[in-house]
Amino acid sequence: MSNTASSKPIRLGIVGLSTGGWAASAHVPALAHPSLSSTFTLTALQTSSETSAAAAKEALSKSWPSIDASEVMTYHGRDATDITNDPNVDVILVSVKAPDHKAILDKAVAAGKHVFSEYPPGKTLAESEQIRADVMRNGNIQFQVGLQATHSVLLRKVKKIIDYGKIGKIRSSTFIGNLPREPRYYQPEANDANLYSLDKTNGATLLTIPTAHKLSAFIYLLGPFATVSATGSRQYPTIDIYSAQDPTKFLRTIKSNALDHFTFTGSLKSGAHASITWKSGYKSTPGRKNLLWIIDGEEGSVTFEADDGNIMGTLDQKVSVNGKPVDEYMKDEGIEWVDDPALVVEEHEKGTFFESIRREWVEFGKSLRGGHGEFVSLDDAIEVQRVVDAVERSVELGGLGINLI
């Protein structure tokens, strides 16, 4: 029997819970917080090997102990049949590489489990639409997708300002982003742990992952696209590969088969004009903004700036409304901001992705308990993928406009 309909903690199974991975470094600290301990409990985990599964279980026994001292089941390998059919699991978190998402999600949906999937749910739009069809056939599955930017407190404050009509009708928005060279994710330098993301067939390219995360924020604030016309280029035809274990160790140079610069424009369904440029690999030199986003309304404007290119809530991010810091503007305009008392954030977590990810779980927990939770649904994620797909098709067609209505 599922615990989602009771007052007992919702039982969570995590696929991809290896030490040092995204689930362990981001989701576990969010979920292990005392404020969520009565909502979620870990009952099962799966990693690639028996050794790593045992190591993860041991680490979690200290950082996230079960509140009722129940045993955490461990599974390993690529086949997720056993964990998705575990009767002591209500929700499956899928936190593995993008090409492997669909095989696990198919099994979770077939087993009737609720799902939290990292983005993208499927590595292509077609895969995600097939997942949605299966979810709809089941009829009783709640499905959250990890697009954390929409849970940033700064983004939510700006949405409130826009929804209040404070900057008037939105006429246009310009977004310029760069994924800096130093983290070595994409062109022209990458570490060998990220090799899979450099192959466009794996669905984890610059456009399909980092750009899509920013698109989710764009759509969250301004609404969906009606049309898209895009161009792209390969400014870095080769990629230097370095060791993830020893960053000073150069391994080899490979050819790039994915584009590293995109510009796309279009109309939003609201009628506003949108222009987005996304690029990879520029050095973080003094004065360079890795993110600049301007939203122009008839009566005012909003500006986002960040040196690290992140909009999920970062310590160096600057958000201003009509030239004033967002909090100062809200105070001057008498706009009250009261955060959800269910979201407990420690001082050192404020302005970090831990805050956004904990909000994801707080909201999902509300919904799973039968209440109203605000989170990125499978439909929302597919709306983002529709734009990504339209950009790819438009580039292939030499900038031809793609209609999304």
Side-chain angles (χ1 to χ4, degrees):
M1 179 181 175
S2 171
N3 281 1
T4 58
S6 72
S7 60
K8 295 179 180 178
I10 298 165
R11 299 168 299 185
L12 183 63
I14 302 180
V15 182
L17 191 51
S18 57
T19 304
W22 179 249
S25 60
H27 287 285
V28 168
L31 286 160
H33 193 271
S35 63
L36 279 175
S37 64
S38 63
T39 305
F40 293 98
T41 187
L42 182 70
T43 54
L45 65 89
Q46 179 164 332
T47 66
S48 58
S49 71
E50 186 174 6
T51 301
S52 61
K57 180 179 178 179
E58 174 63 23
L60 290 170
S61 68
K62 299 180 179 66
S63 63
W64 188 14
S66 171
I67 60 172
D68 59 2
S70 59
E71 181 77 4
V72 175
M73 291 296 297
T74 59
Y75 303 94
H76 63 274
R78 295 177 63 86
D79 188 343
T81 300
D82 290 340
I83 190 171
T84 55
N85 284 284
D86 188 325
N88 292 313
V89 170
D90 303 310
V91 178
I92 293 288
L93 166 61
V94 179
S95 185
V96 296
K97 293 177 179 178
D100 299 325
H101 285 184
K102 186 174 185 295
I104 301 167
L105 292 173
D106 285 346
K107 292 182 182 297
V109 171
K113 305 297 186 184
H114 301 296
V115 173
F116 186 135
S117 173
E118 292 299 351
Y119 182 89
K123 69 178 182 179
T124 64
L125 175 61
E127 282 193 359
S128 294
E129 288 177 333
Q130 181 59 59
I131 293 167
R132 176 166 62 182
D134 293 340
V135 169
M136 291 176 68
R137 273 192 292 272
N138 179 285
N140 194 35
I141 292 175
Q142 299 206 45
F143 200 119
Q144 175 169 202
V145 180
L147 286 166
Q148 296 87 2
T150 61
H151 290 275
S152 158
V153 66
L154 286 174
L155 211 67
R156 290 185 168 226
K157 288 178 179 179
V158 170
K159 183 169 177 58
K160 189 169 188 177
I161 292 167
I162 291 174
D163 290 348
Y164 272 29
K166 288 294 185 177
I167 64 170
K169 181 176 175 60
I170 304 301
R171 297 296 186 186
S172 67
S173 185
T174 301
F175 189 114
I176 302 172
N178 169 54
L179 190 65
R181 182 176 303 188
E182 289 78 13
R184 289 179 172 166
Y185 288 127
Y186 295 99
Q187 301 91 325
E189 294 181 5
N191 68 54
D192 57 349
N194 294 326
L195 279 174
Y196 86 100
S197 65
L198 304 178
D199 183 347
K200 63 182 181 182
T201 63
N202 285 326
T205 65
L206 173 74
L207 176 63
T208 55
I209 301 290
T211 306
H213 273 273
K214 307 306 181 289
L215 264 175
S216 72
F218 195 99
I219 293 171
Y220 172 74
L221 285 188
L222 303 176
F225 280 74
T227 63
V228 167
S229 178
T231 58
S233 66
R234 187 178 291 107
Q235 295 295 316
Y236 300 108
T238 61
I239 308 170
D240 291 338
I241 307 299
Y242 291 83
S243 168
Q245 299 299 318
D246 179 3
T248 65
K249 186 178 180 181
F250 170 76
L251 299 177
R252 62 188 181 278
T253 297
I254 65 172
K255 289 185 177 181
S256 171
N257 75 350
L259 304 182
D260 48 55
H261 283 61
F262 294 90
T263 297
F264 50 102
T265 62
S267 296
L268 304 182
K269 286 186 179 179
S270 66
H273 181 82
S275 175
I276 297 176
T277 294
W278 194 255
K279 51 201 176 180
S280 170
Y282 292 14
K283 296 177 181 178
S284 297
T285 53
R288 191 193 303 281
K289 291 296 177 186
N290 285 318
L291 184 146
L292 178 61
W293 181 11
I294 301 170
I295 300 170
D296 279 311
E298 189 69 25
E299 306 299 330
S301 63
V302 179
T303 302
F304 292 80
E305 296 178 76
D307 290 339
D308 67 357
N310 204 329
I311 53 171
M312 289 199 305
T314 55
L315 297 177
D316 75 325
Q317 181 177 311
K318 298 176 183 177
V319 182
S320 60
V321 184
N322 292 349
K324 294 182 180 179
V326 64
D327 288 334
E328 180 183 334
Y329 177 86
M330 293 181 76
K331 182 179 180 181
D332 290 350
E333 292 292 319
I335 303 173
E336 187 179 12
W337 179 262
V338 179
D339 215 333
D340 186 347
L343 178 68
V344 180
V345 182
E346 304 301 331
E347 192 63 34
H348 69 277
E349 295 174 322
K350 292 180 179 178
T352 72
F353 62 79
F354 293 115
E355 180 175 11
S356 297
I357 292 172
R358 188 167 299 141
R359 190 190 299 273
E360 286 181 311
W361 286 106
V362 167
E363 296 295 330
F364 202 32
K366 291 179 189 176
S367 188
L368 290 167
R369 293 287 199 213
H372 175 67
E374 296 181 10
F375 55 86
V376 178
S377 68
L378 184 55
D379 286 341
D380 296 330
I382 287 175
E383 187 65 38
V384 174
Q385 277 189 287
R386 290 181 71 231
V387 178
V388 170
D389 178 75
V391 169
E392 291 177 326
R393 286 188 287 135
S394 180
V395 170
E396 290 173 359
L397 294 169
L400 185 69
I402 305 294
N403 196 330
L404 292 170
I405 295 178

